[in-house]
Amino acid sequence: SHSSAPGAAYNQSVDVFPSIVIESDGTVGAHGPFAEAQAQFLEPDDDAVKTLADSLKKANMGVVAHYYMDVELQGVLTSIQREQMIQSNSSRIAIA
């Protein structure tokens, strides 16, 4: 008969539960490193948004980007109001 000993217990404890809290006045509070990274999507850097938007307009270009990119970049791209901006999954990008 073959028996296997159980492995070491997996430590699932965290110092701060990752969460994003959006207050009634619209302020965003991020708790924990993962949530802080995700909050960058909600409040992208204004200078980065303006710089990229101006560059795209000047070059008459758009962006086709996959959902699985860095949240900071995704937040900047989402904030740019251009018809030529597509963020999607692989299937939609393939037909864009």
Side-chain angles (χ1 to χ4, degrees), residues 2-3 15 18 21 26 30 41 49 51 53 70 76 84 92 94:
H2 175 58
S3 69
D15 293 331
V21 178
F41 173 82
V49 172
T51 299
D70 180 82
V76 170
Q84 302 91 344
R92 173 113 192 275

Side-chain angles (χ1 to χ4, degrees), residues 11-22:
N11 181 358
Q12 295 183 3
S13 64
V14 292
D15 293 331
V16 177
F17 185 80
S19 57
I20 295 177
V21 178
I22 303 174

Side-chain angles (χ1 to χ4, degrees), residues 25-54:
D25 65 357
T27 58
V28 176
H31 307 284
F34 179 76
E36 289 166 4
Q38 297 301 309
Q40 291 178 15
F41 173 82
L42 299 172
E43 295 180 338
D45 180 72
D46 291 334
D47 290 335
V49 172
K50 182 175 180 354
T51 299
L52 184 56
D54 291 348

Side-chain angles (χ1 to χ4, degrees), residues 11 19 77-78 88:
N11 181 358
S19 57
L77 292 175
T78 300
S88 189

